[in-house]
Amino acid sequence: VFSIKSYSALNLYSCSLKNEDLKEMLESNKESLKLEAMKRIVGLIAKGKNASELFPAVVKNVASKNIELKKLVYVYLVRYAEEQQDLALLSISTFQRALKDPNQLIRASALRVLSSIRVPIIVPIMMLAIKEAATDLSPYVRKTAAHAIQKLYSLDPEQKEHLIEVIDKLLKDKSTLVAGSVVMAFEEVCPDRIDLIHKNYRKLCNLLVDVEEWGQVVIITMLTRYARTQFLSPWREDALFDENSEKAFYDSDVEKEKADSKPYMMDPDHRLLLRNTKPLLQSRNTAVVMAVAQLYWHLAPKQEVSIVTKSLVRLLRSHREVQYIVLQNIATMSIQRKGMFEPFLKSFYVRSTDATHIKTLKLEILTNLATEANISTILREFQTYVKSQDKQFAATTIQAIGRCATNISEITDTCLNGLVLLLSNRDETVVAECVVVIKKLLQTQPSQHSDIIKHMAKLLDNITVPMARASILWLIGEYCERVPKIAPDVLRKVAKSFTSEEDIVKLQTLNLAAKLYLTNSKQTKLLTQYILNLGKYDQNYDIRDRTRFLRQLIVPNEKSGALSKYAKRILLASKPAPVLESAFKDRDRFQLGTLSHTLNAKASGYLELSDWPTVAPDQSVRNVEVMEPQSLERQPSTRGSDLFAYHLLVLLCSDSDDAKEKKRPKPKLDSVSSHSKASSSSDNTASSGSESEEDTDSDSEPEQKKKKKLSSKPQVRQILSFNCGCKMCLCVTAFQVSSPVFVPPKSHELLHRMSGKGLAVSYHFPRQPCAYSHRMVSVQLTLTNGRDQPLEDICVGEAGPPGIAIHRFATIERLQPEASITVSMGIDFNDSTQAANFQLCTKTDQFSVSIQPAVGELLMPVTMTEQDFLKEQGQLTGMNESSVTITIAPDSMSSQPVGRKVVSVANMGVVPSSQNSIHRFAAKTVSSGSLVLSSVVLQEASTAKLVVNTEKTVLGSVLLRELKTALSQG
């Protein structure tokens, strides 16, 4: 203690000696000594040391004629003028004289010091100084005046009207140096005065690219609010398109409504803002990129918002602080528009070096992006995350699996089975979270999972986490009638440890006792009374209150009220299943990129975005008499290289856009006399998916070529092992595609002749390899002209959704009355049962149609031996396996009926079996070549076990359901 005190005293003494030396140097007659002293003092300030004691000595030198010394003095005064206000006031006349100094840096520094003196008495002097500085010839001084406006407003809000006049004058400034600062002053002083922006709107949009980076952020945020009040919603066009995408047969009323309603036309100023902010997506400043992203999210048409996706994904390579903010905004975006980020799914995979909060956000985004098409890949990732050493992250992953199971009903059973397997995990945190999630999932369909409830009851002895124990007790109490033998025994075990349990477990124990008393009083009457007596004397008053309430409710006596009659209806009422929602679902009420959005609470100073106006405001308010757009020659010379790069970028973008807008000529048929001619001409058209892939960036072209080279070997299949236990391994096995078993084709109606104004179209799946691409499913369309006049120029128009590629048939130039023609199409459904939507067009009409594939038509049969089947089936277990026990009609228990029913539902090949009671079938998905295995094991009493193994979890669940329906029928 003595040494510490002596050291601190010595240090204080040395500091005081040093300050005395600096005072002597400042009071010296030599300018060189004064300059050296000021450099040391500024150095002390930079290191965070306190130099306020030197204020009297420093302020004496404010009138020095040495420019370098005066600059350093002003740097010091800006730092300490607010703390030493009385001494600073003594030199106020010197600051006023400095406002007239020939040097712009001295004038700006004097104004900065003057605005730092927080004394109300000098407000008039500050006001006068700001007005003079606002008209200064130097843009740097005008920028300082804009900064001083905010300080004066915080000191005296009554000066608001005078300050607004100065802001109005500075907003007309054409210097890029001033623009950002004056807009910041506008946001602080009068953010509601939109009328000040009208005349300066176009100028700000044109100057935006050359404003300094932090100024760009402020201007973009302000212009976002401005645009929401002055332009019509660009999203209205999408709604109008959706409502009128299909024409009614008697559509005179619809056409009349269309004629009356004006089509949406984007305001040119709205387009100007979007066009001028787009290049800033390539800024090095992450805040600028984030500001542009939120602008596009709130202002751009829905089809243009995806422009910001790549820039946001690029920001994920920055520091973890930047990643945190960007991921929060992506999480909000991904809830409403999954398609934006689906192509970049791998960018959100968790890395081992990520912090826990980054991992949690990535997990949130992966859950939001989960669809039937990609859920198998995401679940494979989740299984790896569950094994993480970060227990908090592992528990969050289990919650994410539960959300996926709730959102995608096809994988609910698969996820439940996987979570039940995790109950045997050694980590108590993982097991406890599994119990909580399983409890929520079982509420959706409890009747089918009584075995799981029994299994969880057995775990009660080993689980110690209070929330998990309480969840098990709630589950047993809620469905006690389904486990009548186990529930009383569980109550007996919990009664023994009642006094040592946590409060949440005690409350659920009381609930379980009350429910069992009502449903099984013979076995549990005495046990319930014992637990109620324990609860009566518990230390926690919540438990005592619950005990008194339940005793009066379930145990009738003379004092019991009328409520006891309804005990069963109160305690045993069916509860609605919980809705597992994203934590970011309600954050879209805040503007993206703001502090309020990050905190999910309204922060001080937050300005809400207004709703779009219903009537278009007057556009003429933004017109100015003399338009002087800045040309390339008029830009500041210091920014020449940056400006040249920007204009070159704009030219390149416009060239690429023009190239994309060129349409390819469509091949046409000379006649429709034969199907062979139609199919031969369609063979000469572009390959599958080419039209949809042309819209992607040029960066992805080498990858596409690489994929096409790999896809020339359709027999080779790659499987990611899901349960290998150590590292992910790559197994490559070759299987030959076989000829399909003959099944009578099922024809489906695509367009009724009444809806098609005489054109009738039907389609069927021929189950043959597609001639256009091995990734496509072959579809044959039969077109019939039921009109009295020929139909001309029949072709396929716009197609969607984006994930599905369609190879169009060649244009049919003429189809005679009562004539028919059969043409072929290729559709890449991407291993999904999602419908392919497209338009059938004639010369005069367009008809929106959709082809919904059965899951069995997405397969191609393969040949394999029994040994290969068993080997591959052993690798596709766990979440890759779906099974169910079914009842089969007695006359269908032989191999022939079973095989016939299976191949009628799914295009699968029969695998030879050495056992008469087991029937095996194998196929691969057309798009990705993933193996699909199915086996039917015949059992006693006309029952059979149906098993489907595949990486495509959703596809496997749907196939299992359809096979179950087919085999269960007589």
Side-chain angles (χ1 to χ4, degrees), residues 474-693:
W474 182 91
L475 208 57
I476 295 171
E478 185 68 16
Y479 308 112
C480 56
E481 295 178 350
R482 303 186 188 279
V483 284
K485 296 181 179 179
I486 294 178
D489 195 49
V490 170
L491 183 63
R492 179 183 58 80
K493 290 181 179 180
V494 182
K496 290 181 180 179
S497 58
F498 184 87
T499 54
S500 60
E501 296 285 0
E502 293 289 334
D503 292 342
I504 189 173
V505 181
K506 291 179 180 178
L507 289 171
Q508 292 304 327
T509 304
L510 290 169
N511 288 345
L512 174 61
K515 291 175 182 178
L516 289 178
Y517 185 88
L518 294 174
T519 57
N520 189 3
S521 60
K522 185 177 180 180
Q523 286 183 285
T524 60
K525 184 176 181 180
L526 294 175
L527 199 55
T528 301
Q529 289 178 353
Y530 171 72
I531 292 173
L532 290 175
N533 287 333
L534 290 175
K536 182 179 179 180
Y537 300 104
D538 196 88
Q539 294 181 352
N540 189 297
Y541 60 84
D542 283 336
I543 296 170
R544 296 197 300 271
D545 288 348
R546 179 72 62 88
T547 303
R548 282 194 290 269
F549 167 71
L550 291 176
R551 187 188 296 274
Q552 293 296 322
L553 185 64
I554 65 174
V555 182
N557 55 40
E558 295 177 357
K559 296 181 180 180
S560 297
L563 202 60
S564 59
K565 300 176 184 178
Y566 307 101
K568 282 192 176 183
R569 293 176 61 181
I570 293 172
L571 293 176
L572 302 177
S574 58
K575 281 82 173 175
V579 180
L580 301 176
E581 294 181 341
S582 170
F584 289 81
K585 187 176 182 181
D586 60 339
R587 292 205 185 192
D588 55 355
R589 68 182 190 274
F590 297 114
Q591 185 176 351
L592 294 184
T594 60
L595 178 63
S596 298
H597 178 269
T598 303
L599 300 177
N600 197 22
K602 190 173 181 178
S604 176
Y606 172 73
L607 300 172
E608 293 185 358
L609 283 179
S610 61
D611 295 330
W612 295 101
T614 54
V615 180
D618 185 12
Q619 298 181 5
S620 62
V621 294
R622 289 184 290 277
N623 294 337
V624 291
E625 295 179 1
V626 181
M627 292 292 292
E628 295 183 4
Q630 291 195 348
S631 61
L632 183 62
E633 293 79 6
R634 293 184 62 185
Q635 301 298 332
S637 58
T638 56
R639 299 286 301 235
S641 59
D642 292 343
L643 199 64
F644 174 76
Y646 162 64
H647 281 279
L648 182 62
L649 176 66
V650 171
L651 288 173
L652 289 173
C653 291
S654 61
D655 289 342
S656 63
D657 290 339
D658 292 339
K660 287 180 181 179
E661 288 175 2
K662 293 181 181 178
K663 296 182 179 179
R664 294 185 299 176
K666 294 183 179 179
K668 295 188 176 182
L669 285 175
D670 295 328
S671 66
V672 295
S673 58
S674 66
H675 164 61
S676 60
K677 196 165 185 178
S679 60
S680 64
S681 63
S682 62
D683 287 340
N684 296 328
T685 58
S687 63
S688 66
S690 60
E691 292 180 7
S692 62
E693 290 172 359

Side-chain angles (χ1 to χ4, degrees), residues 178-235:
V178 181
S181 300
V182 68
V183 170
M184 189 67 215
F186 169 83
E187 291 285 80
E188 287 289 331
V189 178
C190 52
D192 55 331
R193 287 291 302 274
I194 296 295
D195 57 293
L196 299 179
I197 305 298
H198 289 323
K199 300 291 184 183
N200 305 292
Y201 172 81
R202 293 168 186 163
K203 182 200 70 178
L204 289 172
C205 288
N206 291 321
L207 289 180
L208 193 57
V209 72
D210 288 324
V211 176
E212 46 95 19
E213 292 171 337
W214 295 111
Q216 288 174 344
V217 175
V218 175
I219 294 174
I220 290 171
T221 305
M222 185 274 293
L223 291 179
T224 303
R225 288 195 308 107
Y226 177 86
R228 285 294 286 261
T229 63
Q230 299 300 313
F231 305 130
L232 291 178
S233 171
W235 308 330

Side-chain angles (χ1 to χ4, degrees), residues 734-854:
F735 299 111
Q736 189 69 31
V737 177
S738 63
S739 300
V741 179
F742 174 76
V743 176
K746 298 178 182 178
S747 182
H748 309 275
E749 184 180 73
L750 185 64
L751 182 65
H752 192 271
R753 66 184 185 86
M754 295 294 288
S755 302
K757 297 184 179 180
L759 175 63
V761 185
S762 62
Y763 70 96
H764 72 275
F765 298 90
R767 291 193 174 183
Q768 296 294 333
C770 185
Y772 314 118
S773 171
H774 70 276
R775 290 175 58 89
M776 290 189 168
V777 177
S778 180
V779 184
Q780 287 191 353
L781 273 64
T782 302
L783 296 88
T784 304
N785 183 5
R787 296 173 59 176
D788 298 329
Q789 299 174 351
L791 288 171
E792 297 180 349
D793 296 336
I794 304 174
C795 62
V796 176
E798 295 180 359
I804 294 179
I806 297 179
H807 182 88
R808 298 162 169 81
F809 60 82
T811 303
I812 302 172
E813 288 191 341
R814 192 176 184 86
L815 184 61
Q816 296 296 337
E818 302 302 325
S820 297
I821 183 172
T822 302
V823 293
S824 295
M825 290 179 65
I827 304 177
D828 183 1
F829 289 101
N830 200 18
D831 294 343
S832 170
T833 55
Q834 187 177 10
N837 305 315
F838 57 93
Q839 288 186 334
L840 271 179
C841 305
T842 63
K843 191 173 183 179
T844 57
D845 297 292
Q846 294 180 350
F847 308 100
S848 296
V849 296
S850 62
I851 295 179
Q852 177 86 41

Side-chain angles (χ1 to χ4, degrees), residues 693-694 696-708:
E693 290 172 359
E694 279 178 1
T696 58
D697 292 345
S698 57
D699 297 342
S700 62
E701 288 180 5
E703 297 179 6
Q704 293 171 4
K705 292 178 181 177
K706 189 175 180 182
K707 288 179 182 177
K708 289 179 181 178

Side-chain angles (χ1 to χ4, degrees), residues 696-729:
T696 58
D697 292 345
S698 57
D699 297 342
S700 62
E701 288 180 5
E703 297 179 6
Q704 293 171 4
K705 292 178 181 177
K706 189 175 180 182
K707 288 179 182 177
K708 289 179 181 178
K709 290 179 182 178
L710 291 171
S711 64
S712 61
K713 300 178 181 179
Q715 292 83 6
V716 178
R717 181 179 67 84
Q718 295 184 352
I719 305 172
L720 283 176
S721 177
F722 193 61
N723 284 327
C724 53
C726 50
K727 294 184 178 180
M728 204 73 86
C729 62

